[in-house]
């Protein structure tokens, strides 16, 4: 199983069946798509380095034996079969949201006359300039950012924040 913000997700040992899956175009951003990669046993640092040298970027650990990863669109997932991978899963929008956002409970202090201020986080394989440009094109104003932890404060309309949450490189 994997422990996400939404709770425990039970997984299957089905990587061999999934290794030929192709991402939807809506899941691709800047040459990558994002997944949860779960191993039967935690890979060693040497194994992680070999996987990274093959092109997959580790973006963060998730209990248990799992990682958020960025996968290049040209990557052949079969390359991972030697690393005891249990499964590979898409990152569902709800699993990226805080509890309050999942319940559509936006605090009053974040509401600004039809708009809402949100702090979002982008994956560390991207840079601020690229992400902020994309957010501006999606009707967001960028109010501030912290490069060290990939945080951006945005303002967008209350009826637009869910489409922002669906962007493949965003998490809350």
């Amino acid at each position: 199983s994997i422990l996400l913000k939404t709770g425990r997700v039970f997984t299957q040992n089905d990587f061999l069946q999934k290794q030929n899956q192709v991402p939807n175009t809506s899941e691709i951003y800047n040459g990558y798509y994002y997944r949860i990669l779960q191993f039967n046993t935690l890979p060693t640092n040497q194994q992680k380095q070999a996987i990274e040298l093959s092109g997959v970027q580790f973006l963060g650990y998730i209990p248990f034996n799992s990682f958020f990863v960025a996968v290049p669109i040209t990557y052949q997932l079969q390359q991972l079969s030697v690393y005891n991978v249990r499964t590979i899963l898409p990152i569902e929008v709800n699993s990226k949201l805080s509890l309050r956002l999942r319940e559509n409970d936006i605090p009053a202090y974040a509401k600004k006359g039809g708009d809402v201020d949100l702090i979002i986080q982008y994956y560390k394989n991207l840079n601020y300039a690229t992400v902020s440009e994309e957010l501006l094109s999606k009707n967001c104003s960028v109010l501030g950012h912290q490069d060290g932890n990939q945080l951006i404060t945005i303002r967008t309309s209350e009826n637009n924040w869910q489409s922002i949450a669906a962007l493949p490189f965003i998490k809350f």
Side-chain angles (χ1 to χ4, degrees):
S1 65
I2 297 172
L3 194 57
L4 299 174
K5 290 179 184 180
T6 52
R8 189 175 294 259
V9 175
F10 293 94
T11 61
Q12 303 291 318
N13 193 358
D14 59 1
F15 180 72
L16 291 178
Q17 290 84 12
K18 292 181 173 181
Q19 66 184 355
N20 294 315
Q21 288 182 347
V22 178
N24 294 324
T25 55
S26 64
E27 297 178 291
I28 298 169
Y29 182 72
N30 211 28
Y32 290 88
Y33 61 100
Y34 299 89
R35 291 289 186 264
I36 296 171
L37 189 61
Q38 185 181 40
F39 296 84
N40 286 305
T41 56
L42 206 56
T44 65
N45 286 336
Q46 186 177 8
Q47 289 171 323
K48 280 179 63 179
Q49 287 175 343
I51 293 168
E52 286 197 326
L53 284 172
S54 75
V56 173
Q57 296 181 32
F58 288 88
L59 305 174
Y61 178 76
I62 312 164
F64 298 95
N65 299 336
S66 306
F67 297 88
F68 288 114
V69 293
V71 182
I73 56 173
T74 57
Y75 193 81
Q76 300 297 312
L77 290 174
Q78 297 88 338
Q79 296 175 72
L80 295 173
S81 60
V82 298
Y83 295 106
N84 204 11
V85 174
R86 178 176 172 80
T87 193
I88 187 166
L89 302 168
I91 302 169
E92 303 293 335
V93 173
N94 267 354
S95 69
K96 301 190 306 181
L97 300 178
S98 67
L99 177 61
R100 290 189 89 164
L101 288 177
R102 280 195 311 273
E103 294 176 348
N104 203 19
D105 178 23
I106 298 171
Y109 65 82
K111 294 182 178 183
K112 311 288 183 200
D115 288 340
V116 61
D117 290 354
L118 298 170
I119 299 172
I120 61 173
Q121 188 171 29
Y122 56 95
Y123 291 114
K124 66 183 180 180
N125 70 313
L126 300 171
N127 65 53
Y128 166 73
T130 304
V131 172
S132 63
E133 186 176 307
E134 183 71 17
L135 291 169
L136 291 171
S137 77
K138 303 288 186 197
N139 300 314
C140 295
S141 301
V142 174
L143 305 178
H145 76 282
Q146 297 176 7
D147 276 337
N149 50 13
Q150 297 84 37
L151 294 175
I152 300 177
T153 304
I154 63 165
R155 179 170 292 159
T156 192
S157 69
E158 281 190 59
N159 57 13
N160 189 43
W161 76 264
Q162 290 169 324
S163 66
I164 300 304
L167 294 172
F169 57 90
I170 294 297
K171 58 183 180 171
F172 291 81

